[in-house]
DNA sequence: GCGCCAATGTTGACAACGTCAACAAATAAG
DNA sequence: CTTATTTGTTGACGTTGTCAACATTGGCGC
């Protein structure tokens, strides 16, 4: 915890993740090199290898911070509406979209398919699975309370997950830009789209 | 059109796109180099520069073949059910998912955010927009026919688009694998998910 | 048929990249 | 204090995308 520069950094792993996250958010995954991250953290170009087995491992580390942030946001959104599954579902979805809009390049790293899982470290899948479990919980609660229709809970959850994931994807890649420019416009759109799912497309 | 090898290839552009598509589908975008594609096409490592300004331009070319394929599949699916917007919508969505499952790495190239548009060549956005227009058409028809609920047509289309896009994403990245293994299982799941959208999550 | 020009392909070079091996410094253990 | 382990550095290697200079070819006007 000494402030003066020394041979040993003391907390390089975190520093690398921080610098890496910043670079990714600035320039996109494709334009970030291991060496650049090392330089940004003030160390030489092979120092990262003492903390990550690979460039991919480092990117996974960066993505993991994003997943943590996502899980946290969703949890907060859910806790805002205790006992109201409909609002919980909506708020969780919006939180998800919000993160994708605020950090599009990080979101791209998380879900763009650049990461290859090394089988050893499947923490990413775990996290994603954990988020899904939370979603299933909301749906199950809603079914019990009688506000969501009956049926395979997992399938309903997957439906909502797909919708949100797809919308976030479109929002973060800019495909929606000439239909809803600003951030608020996109979020409002997200709300309306979520309602369409709740009420269904077909005429009742 | 001469068969014997000559200094001039004659149709190198297509040959590069073909070889490139094959390599991408085999190894994924991240593991395909310009040079490898050139070698696979039987030319030297800078020959591609006579046909593509950039590696990215070449990848865009490969992605474009994917978009053509997608548009074609969707068109076919729609034509299978004339005058029946509900089936059209479902079939188009399934066709979309099908392509993503059959060619996951190509799908990743198309939608994974690796491509950076050079502003000059916005053919990709055009194609994506064209597909969306088709979707809007289906919805509009369904609304006229009274099988889809009234409301902003674009928004309803965007809802369906998001759902399908998200599902395809999850399917092609293997996130669904331990929930629905085989290809048929995924397609069946896609059908059911699509029905959930049509009838909505909320209890009527 | 001839000569030239633009189009197309090749060779060689360069800097940047991911990664590895060998070495150096600093911390921790005894 | 000595020493072993952790952590960081230096230098090197093969690969990559890209550029400049050169070679070959087909098609054009004559």
């Amino acid at each position: 915890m000494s402030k003066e520069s020394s041979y040993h950094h003391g907390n390089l792993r975190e520093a690398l993740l921080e610098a890496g996250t910043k670079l990714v958010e600035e320039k996109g995954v494709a334009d970030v090199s291991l060496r650049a991250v090392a330089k940004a953290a003030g160390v030489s170009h092979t120092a990262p290898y003492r903390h990550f087995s690979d460039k991919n491992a480092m990117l996974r580390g960066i993505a993991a911070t994003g997943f943590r942030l996502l899980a946290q946001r969703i949890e907060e959104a859910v806790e805002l509406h205790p006992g109201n599954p409909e609002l919980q579902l909506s708020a969780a979805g919006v939180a998800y979209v919000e993160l994708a809009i605020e950090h599009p390049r990080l979101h791209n790293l998380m879900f763009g398919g650049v990461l290859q899982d090394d089988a050893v470290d499947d923490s990413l899948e775990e996290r994603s699975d954990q988020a899904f479990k939370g979603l299933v919980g909301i749906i199950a609660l809603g079914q019990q309370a009688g506000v969501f229709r009956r049926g395979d809970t997992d399938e309903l959850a997957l439906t909502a997950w797909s919708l949100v994931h797809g919308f976030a994807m479109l929002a973060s890649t800019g495909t929606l830009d000439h239909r809803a420019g600003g951030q608020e416009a996109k979020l409002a759109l997200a709300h309306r789209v979520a309602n369409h799912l709740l009420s269904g497309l077909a005429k009742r």
Side-chain angles (χ1 to χ4, degrees), chain A residues 24 28-37 48-49 52-62 109 114-116 118:
Chain A
V24 165
V29 187
D31 291 341
V32 171
S33 66
L34 224 210
R35 295 164 103 109
V37 175
Y49 283 90
F52 303 98
S53 66
D54 217 330
K55 184 189 182 184
N56 240 280
M58 186 174 150
L59 291 180
R60 276 202 306 272
I62 295 174
L109 168 63
V114 192
L115 277 358
Q116 15 206 353
D118 259 346

Side-chain angles (χ1 to χ4, degrees), chain A residues 101 166-167 170-190 192-193 196:
Chain A
I101 294 174
F167 187 91
L170 295 175
S172 76
T173 55
T175 313
L176 261 54
D177 278 359
H178 67 103
R179 201 169 307 276
Q183 193 157 320
E184 335 77 61
K186 280 181 190 166
L187 285 180
L189 184 57
R192 274 172 280 146
V193 164
H196 287 312

Side-chain angles (χ1 to χ4, degrees), chain A residues 1 4 11 15 23 49 55 67-68 71 76 78 97 105 113 122 127 131 142 145 150 155 158-159 161 175 196:
Chain A
M1 215 171 264
E4 342 107 55
N11 198 12
L23 281 179
Y49 283 90
K55 184 189 182 184
F67 281 111
R68 260 190 298 276
E76 286 172 10
V78 168
V97 171
R105 301 192 213 256
D122 42 15
R127 283 190 193 292
R150 264 176 258 109
E155 266 178 37
L158 181 59
T159 304
W161 179 262
T175 313
H196 287 312

Side-chain angles (χ1 to χ4, degrees), chain A residues 48-167:
Chain A
Y49 283 90
R50 301 293 155 187
H51 301 274
F52 303 98
S53 66
D54 217 330
K55 184 189 182 184
N56 240 280
M58 186 174 150
L59 291 180
R60 276 202 306 272
I62 295 174
T65 71
F67 281 111
R68 260 190 298 276
L69 196 60
L70 179 60
Q72 179 184 325
R73 292 265 196 114
I74 290 182
E75 199 175 346
E76 286 172 10
V78 168
E79 284 169 358
L80 270 182
H81 307 283
N84 190 335
E86 251 177 320
L87 280 185
Q88 282 183 341
L89 187 60
S90 178
V94 168
Y96 186 99
V97 171
E98 211 164 13
L99 191 80
I101 294 174
E102 286 174 17
H103 307 282
R105 301 192 213 256
L106 185 59
H107 180 264
N108 177 249
L109 168 63
M110 293 159 63
F111 296 106
V114 192
L115 277 358
Q116 15 206 353
D117 32 356
D118 259 346
V120 181
D121 170 20
D122 42 15
S123 61
L124 293 193
E125 266 195 47
E126 274 178 39
R127 283 190 193 292
S128 164
D129 236 46
Q130 184 181 341
F132 185 72
K133 287 272 165 48
L135 185 55
V136 172
I138 298 178
I139 301 275
L141 217 72
Q143 286 181 315
Q144 277 179 268
V147 293
F148 292 153
R149 74 175 55 221
R150 264 176 258 109
D152 189 315
T153 310
D154 279 22
E155 266 178 37
L156 294 183
L158 181 59
T159 304
W161 179 262
S162 294
L163 179 72
V164 168
H165 191 54
F167 187 91

Side-chain angles (χ1 to χ4, degrees), chain A residues 1-11 42-43:
Chain A
M1 215 171 264
S2 66
K3 274 172 190 170
E4 342 107 55
S5 72
S6 62
Y7 193 89
H8 279 40
H9 185 285
N11 198 12
V43 291

